[in-house]
Amino acid sequence: MYSDKTLTLNNGIKISQIQLGTWPINNDDVKKVVRQAISVGYRAFDTARDYGNESGVGKGIWNSDVERSDIYLTTKLPTAVKDYEGTKKAIDEALDRFSLEYIDMLLIHSPQPWIEVNRTNDRHFEGNLENWRAMEEAVKAGKVRSIGVSNFLQEDVANIVNNGTIKPAVNQIEVHIGHVPTDLMKYCENLGIQIEAHSPLAHGRLLKDRKINAYAKKYNVSPAQLMLAFDLQLGCIVLPKSDNVSEMKENLDIDFEISEEDMADLIKLKENTQAMSV
């Protein structure tokens, strides 16, 4: 079962292939959600400063019956921070909010501040290198164990790889049936950078899609399980988001394999076309 499967990052650290995403669960509720997720088998969690729920995630980890060393925690820098000193401060503040001694994975959340996404061509190459310099120092100081990027295009990844000392461990990008950025995924794979798939269920948009439901029926699984299996078989780490215990269990219970022929057909599907009509 994929619930037990781990992948090894380019720094030798093992990571669960199925993790729980925590956006947009609020800070008050996420503590209970994390505890429940741990009780049903999750050992890895993904959050971010911009989600506003880091302290709740930390409390959920602290109040569980599982050792901290058995939990893998990912968080992300605020997208508005693109300078060295601001990054150092953001890392220390995150550790304080979590009340933890270290963060397992720290990501640059986006190459651009949210306010600029899809509005400007400025990729903030220098600012991202300032982020990275502080993140590399945090690794050497033992505050962070692995570092990576999120929502980075090829040019953004190349900027870090060509100018940094530590290669990104992951690039967390949107991957799901109907949206498979093959070129970017292959580029990262060739560099030894693991792809993490955020929004593997397309925010629920495609769970009633006729084609996806037909394939799910063929394998006697739910549409969500089919979509998660698709990303897992592409070699991605997946980050399904749910605050419902039954859904959490279902999302961990991926014990079937999509045939090569069906995978090839599913990769060709495009969202918002006649091939996929909700």
Side-chain angles (χ1 to χ4, degrees), residues 6 33 36-37 49 63 94 100 110 116-117 125 129 181 187-189 204 226 231 236 261 275:
T6 60
V33 171
Q36 290 174 327
R49 176 66 186 98
N63 291 318
L100 298 173
S110 168
E116 295 183 26
V117 173
F125 291 133
L129 290 179
Y187 176 78
C188 291
E189 180 183 346
L226 182 89
D231 276 10
C236 300
E261 181 181 4

Side-chain angles (χ1 to χ4, degrees), residues 180-195:
V180 183
T182 304
D183 290 344
L184 177 57
M185 293 172 71
K186 287 182 177 178
Y187 176 78
C188 291
E189 180 183 346
N190 289 337
L191 288 170
I193 299 171
Q194 174 66 47
I195 295 296

